[in-house]
Amino acid sequence: MSGSPTHEEGTASAPISRVPSLPTPNRDDNSNDSPTTSPPTTKPRRGSVVSRVDVDYFDAAGVQDLRRTLSNSPAQESARLHGKPSFSSSAITLTGLTGEDGAFDFEKTLRHIIRKRDEAQIKPRSLGILFRNLRVVGLGASTSYQPTLGSLFNPANVLEGIQAIRRPPVRNILSGFDGVVRPGKMLLVLGRPGSGCTTLLKTLANLREEYHAVEGDVHYDSLSPNDVKKFFRGDVQYCPEDDVHFPTLTVGQTLEFAAKTRAPRERVDNTRKEYTRIMTEILTTIFGLRHAKKTPVGDAAIRGVSGGEKKRVSIAEALATRSCIGVWDNSTRGLDASTALEFVRALRIATDTFDLSTIVSLYQAGESLYQHFDQVCVLYEGRMAYYGPADQAKQYFMDMGYEPANRQTTADFLVSVTDPNGRIPRAGFTNIPRTASEFAQHFQNSPQGTANKADMESYHEEHVGKPAKASDYIDSARAEHAKGVPKKSPYMISIPMQARAVMLRRVQILRGNMLATGLNLFSFVFQAIIVGSVFLKSPEVTSAYFSRGGVLFFALLFAALTTMAEIPALYAQRPIVLRHKNAALYHPFIEALALTLVDVPITFLTSLVFGVILYFMVGLQKSAGQFFIFFLFIFAMSITMKAWFRGIAAAFKSEASAQTFAGISILALSIYTGYTIPKPSMIGALRWITYINPLRYGFEVLLTNEFRTLQGACVTLVPQGPGYENVSLNNQVCTTVGSLPGQAFVDGNRFTELSYGFSYSNTWMNFGIIIAFAAAFIAGLLIFTEFNTTATNETSIVLFKRGTKSRIVEAKQSPDEETLDEKEKTAPASNDSRAEAEKELAAQPAMTDVFSWQHIKYTVPISGEDDRTLLSDISGYVAPGKLTALMGESGAGKTTLLNVLAQRVNIGVVTGDKFVNGQALPADFQSQTGYCQQMDTHQPTSTVREALLFSAKLRQPASVPLAEKEAYVERCLKMCGLEAYGDAAVGSLGIEHKKRTTIGVELAAKPKLLLFLDEPTSGLDSQSAWSIMSFLRNLADHGQAILCTIHQPSAELFQVFDRMLLLRKGGQTVYFGDLGRNATTLIDYFESNGSRKCLPDENPAEFMLDVIGAGATATSEQNWHDIWRSSPESKHVQQEIEAIHTEGRSRPAVGATFHSEFATSWLYQTGQLLKRDAEAHWRDPTYLMAKLVLNIVGGLFIGFTFFKSKDTQQGTQNKLFAIFMATILSVPLSNQLQVPFIAMRSIYEIRERPSRMYSWTALVTSQILIELPWNIIGSTLLFLCWYWTVGFDSSRAGYTYLMMGIIFPVYYTTFGQAVAAMSPNAEIAALLFSFLFSFVIMFNGVLQPFRELGWWRWMYRLSPFTYLIEGLLGQAIGRKVINCSPVEFVKIIPPSGQTCGQYMEAFISFAGGYLTNPEDSDSCNFCSVLSSDQFLSSGFNISYDHHWRNFGFLIAYIIFNTVSVYIITYLFRIHTGSFFPSFKRSTKKA
């Protein structure tokens, strides 16, 4: 049988034998019949001295359980009985596979699987990579200046942009790469950020789309890159450094899905379901994830597994897909050393077991990690400095003429050699290579280079260009395809199977996030109840015709609009779908199809609940047929509109453009349904929109379906009243459109036909049209999802402020930079700048004050449990001129202690004492210290100089002259090595320079006492980490006191510190004191107290953490906390602290610099914040253009829709809607302005508030003031585009501009910011805003006129839009004459013997209106309205005379909103503790 290698996925096999690449130990040694094939896990590797990892490393107990499960498997029994060679996943352990002690033997099992596989003639497959003269060309940076609103319109910039599109600037990212990666080998790729590591990895993983050109030869054995991309995409996996998974899926579900979608066809003896289960079981066991199987994977917002576990999920998922080549990009970022080591061990197990080819790039790789690799490739600015055995690399560079620093790890040494400032030339060597090209040339001519070429030749001979090998590979791959899968498809399972799997996953995602689904349903119910109560029991009379149309319009629109909220979620999942597409798990369009299909029952349920509540509360026509049609169309419209918005999200590359397009489409769709402007009134140029608007077809059916049986009693018979008591019905007529003389009612059919041009006979034709729209939108969604999967690729470069000359010569100088990481490039620090930094540091006044703390204990309350102690009895001190490290494993309380000492905790109870010189802390202690957080939180568009100056201006005393502050900032820039980057935008800097900026911002405040730093090296490569630590060492040497937490550092970083406080889990002290030269004091302390010996080349930091039992798998037999407490060293520390206190108390206490809370006055703070905000807005052209374009497009669109409205009744109503629709634009405009409000607030909360930089009231004031001018400009443009196009009167433009151009933007700005103030993030702010805004719109008397509101009239009086619309309408249309159009005249037959004028005179005198033929006696043309005031007051309760009253009310609302922004900010963000403490306490006891 030409089976796939999988049948043997046996229990152990599944994961354990990556089937395709089953551990084929020695392919050429007739292992078919040799049961003694050496087990894959230990197969010898040529010339490598590599650590071996046991397969039960992560979860020994779990592997034992698994062995038992497999040993007792029922399939084994059946195999024994039937004598079948059973090697299915469930029947692996056959006779002879148990070890001597009867336990399951993992290696024997694997050997057995291989033998059985060969007997069944299933061909295994593995894949190596050979590359020669590899060169990658990327697009260069076209601009290095920060864009501003001004630069968008600068003609020179526009020309430059056009030029760049025609001839894009290109440059080499990689050139001259040669090498081979054999199956079963691990290659480590090392290089500084920007040297091209990611590009090399992506190119080898066959992801070439984002590069301009890839040249040279790349062979995947006998397959070309094109073949692999088209047919075997799933066999090459690229895993990015971020773990992207669906956060609400559990670990088990994530792995099951991957196993299911890549399950091979041949699985002898067991079903797909069984195979998937066993595969998942084995992977979770081997990677120690069994305990987390039911835990969600999680993300920043949803709690899930830990960082290390998430990494292991990524590895397990990649193995479940059974790829042959695995490429891992900087996957240990953010993991501590012990977790990173576990990650690499897991890869080693996988590589050996499944004969994979594994390529990994790492930053800060420790020695123990390095030892797991067979080969290493060193990159230097896009050139290959070394490629060969990992154990020979160090010696190669030493022979070249460089030497490692003391205890420097091999990996750090290899990277440091490529850094001109980090390498150490050996004495006696001359003429050593220095540039990237010299390094590359030296390697080509070296024996190692020759050996590499020979290795390539032998591999080429053996594997490349061998049609037989290629066809074997293809046969092996095709044998795995499920039935019905095309031979050329890269996917393993058929489209129906993919759809089933992805739909199940979609259901699991929804079940994992029930809250969102529940909230969605709640919003439907809530809106239905509100609207239902507004139009409660609508009477069957003609006066309610208009509002009946309003309800139906709302029902249609609400269902359509709710889908817009899905757009962000669809963008969030794009990277996951793209990764799965690249791994050939499923077609991307299947994801969109599954989303649509799974959504159908949910939409059905929400539409049903919504429809039933609304239908029966309003009292629409009670016949089953009419309700069924109402429900059917609401449901069909929801599905159609969801497909429309999802299609938009799939079609655009960026979320912002999708949101903008969706917003404009909503405006067009809602105006052209025929409710706000009936089809007969539309201008010809835009009438075509109604034909392509699905909502219009739905609205026609809902309206005619409701009105076809409605015989509305006439409320206003003309004439009636005094003098007409005895008139017969034949001489009266109803004023409603569609009335006939002699009828006291109006037929609904006739009303809809004349008013809207709608007919019930079109119902099923319209249904067909809606279905066609739905089909077209869904087809568009599927097509876009399949082909437009990539997100926008932003190549990041350092951006400089316009008008400044950067001191860094841009890309012209060195052509070899990596596009993606160009911003990480560090400017070579010249010796001059170093000397200058030294000089500036020496000029700093040294510190003399000592900060100390004694017996610090910190407990936090946990609801429903006892309080948890995070820090327990910690004492210590930080001396000036000393660099003190604060260390411990993850969760030991390092950052917590730092926050407690810096007075940055606001929950829980802190006990113990903190002193400066043995005396109480000064009142402004926070102002006298600097605190650098782990996250570099800055205003991204500020330049580095501006960021430092902002800190200096607001944190140094007001008495210091500005010139002195500016001079000090320049000194800080030099001290931090940032002069070249002074005018660079902080948001565009690389990690290292951002970190330096964070430190610079704190130094600019002139902290007098000490500097706290939290994890200053996390996320940096070893060279940047070294550069930051040397800078801190320099600061300390010049008298600064520094306390700094650090993740397990390399030995050379560890030596930078003078002293250390070591904590273990639970916040208990294990050691505090000097480290000694090369950490000898620390090592002696541990060894003298009974620890193991520290090896000569071991990193002391890893040694001590290992000894105290830190790390995921380590434990310690001794209680090092108790040892410390009873040690002489501990007593000595207490004596030192007492001595410091005694000496300090003899001096005067450190006084407070500031006697108020802040260094500067409130007005000064507000001025500085306004300046910063103004710069941020100006430098964010996308935001400003979105705001202005929305106003202009909205204004023109509404203006031309209601173009030159006439002075008829319908024309007057059109003007009313022109004003109403213009005010609706405030929704998207408010959603936009909430984003920068919340972003600026989070910078304040994270960094600036704890540093006491400025008052929160100054922040809120500046945020309100900065938005107003831009929104007023936007509304002015809206007014100019809209007022005259609609045809309003020029003589009345002044007041309308005052209301529309000034009051309206001020109102929505303050309202939007008040909502943002209570929201934790922009998404929730948008939902809250539209929720609150729906009230404002519902009750302003347009959709449901005042006379019909009933109980809700109090809301009408409360709604600010009531006064805005009354002011605008009264002013724009009041005091005008109305001329009825022919269709609006009603025909009245006067009693015989009377002329029209005589008959109607009395009625016109008190009711208004006019006749066109007062002399006729057979038929009178009567228009019921003569003045627009009469129309407005009778229909909408609007009066022209109120316009200044309304202006006053809106001013009051604006004041209320503004005060609300302050009050809400205080209550939600500033106030700490409970408003009802006594109440809380009592509930807790209960």
Side-chain angles (χ1 to χ4, degrees), residues 1248-1324:
E1248 295 172 342
R1249 178 185 177 187
S1251 305
R1252 305 263 181 102
M1253 277 176 95
Y1254 51 81
S1255 159
W1256 65 271
T1257 51
L1259 174 77
V1260 173
T1261 309
S1262 71
Q1263 290 200 279
I1264 294 173
L1265 292 179
I1266 194 62
E1267 277 294 345
L1268 294 179
W1270 287 112
N1271 288 335
I1272 289 172
I1273 291 171
S1275 290
T1276 303
L1277 292 169
L1278 167 68
F1279 175 81
L1280 294 172
C1281 295
W1282 158 88
Y1283 188 79
W1284 286 280
T1285 25
V1286 177
F1288 291 119
D1289 200 336
S1290 292
S1291 62
R1292 302 197 177 179
Y1295 175 87
T1296 311
Y1297 174 67
L1298 174 69
M1299 292 290 270
M1300 194 75 201
I1302 295 171
I1303 296 297
F1304 171 62
V1306 178
Y1307 169 76
Y1308 77 69
T1309 303
T1310 50
F1311 183 42
Q1313 293 192 332
V1315 173
M1318 65 175 94
S1319 312
N1321 57 39
E1323 289 76 34
I1324 289 178

Side-chain angles (χ1 to χ4, degrees), residues 123 627 677 1196:
K123 300 173 183 170
F627 173 74
I677 177 166
L1196 290 173

Side-chain angles (χ1 to χ4, degrees), residues 437-471:
S437 48
E438 287 171 11
F439 266 75
Q441 198 50 54
H442 186 276
F443 176 71
Q444 292 302 338
N445 304 334
S446 69
Q448 285 83 355
T450 315
N452 184 39
K453 288 197 182 80
D455 191 23
M456 287 166 63
E457 281 311 315
S458 77
Y459 193 82
H460 191 278
E461 278 299 303
E462 207 178 327
H463 295 283
V464 179
K466 301 279 182 288
K469 278 200 179 266
S471 73

Side-chain angles (χ1 to χ4, degrees), residues 166-223:
R166 287 182 55 204
R167 274 200 298 279
V170 296
R171 61 163 197 274
N172 286 348
I173 301 175
L174 302 177
S175 59
F177 278 71
D178 302 310
V180 62
V181 185
R182 293 173 179 263
K185 296 282 177 178
M186 286 176 71
L187 166 70
L188 175 63
V189 177
L190 294 173
R192 305 193 63 209
S195 58
C197 298
T198 296
T199 303
L200 177 64
L201 265 59
K202 283 190 169 174
T203 311
L204 295 184
N206 212 23
L207 299 177
R208 303 171 163 218
E209 289 80 9
E210 62 195 77
Y211 302 108
H212 184 68
V214 178
E215 297 161 14
D217 303 326
V218 179
H219 299 284
Y220 295 89
D221 288 359
S222 294
L223 301 172

